[in-house]
Amino acid sequence: SVPALLAFARLSVILGATYLFGVLCLFGQRFRDAGLSGLWALLIPVPYAGTAALAAAFMLPSWPGANSYGPDPRFGNRTGAWD
């Protein structure tokens, strides 16, 4: 029936927008961790630029050195359980 399809369409739009918001927040934090502006995450919904932005987010290293979680494990000073 038509009302059921409209309800399903509304639910799909709400869930899709919620998912997109979460992805943009996540990648905004990733870009900020790499030393770039979090606004780069707004390129993700754009067809070809979004693919490039995601590839860059996965390949960019984060800031070197210690942070609030402890020393950087890539540069020695390993203190974790997997040393």
Side-chain angles (χ1 to χ4, degrees), residues 6-42:
L6 288 176
F8 180 74
R10 287 184 186 129
L11 180 64
S12 296
V13 168
I14 291 169
L15 291 176
T18 304
Y19 176 76
L20 181 63
F21 178 74
V23 167
L24 291 178
C25 289
L26 177 73
F27 279 99
Q29 283 296 112
R30 176 64 190 110
F31 280 117
R32 289 183 61 203
D33 183 48
L36 299 171
S37 172
L39 293 176
W40 282 98
L42 294 178

Side-chain angles (χ1 to χ4, degrees), residues 62-81 83:
S62 59
W63 284 101
N67 58 24
S68 61
Y69 298 104
D72 192 343
R74 296 177 296 166
F75 302 109
N77 300 331
R78 294 181 183 255
T79 58
D83 293 339

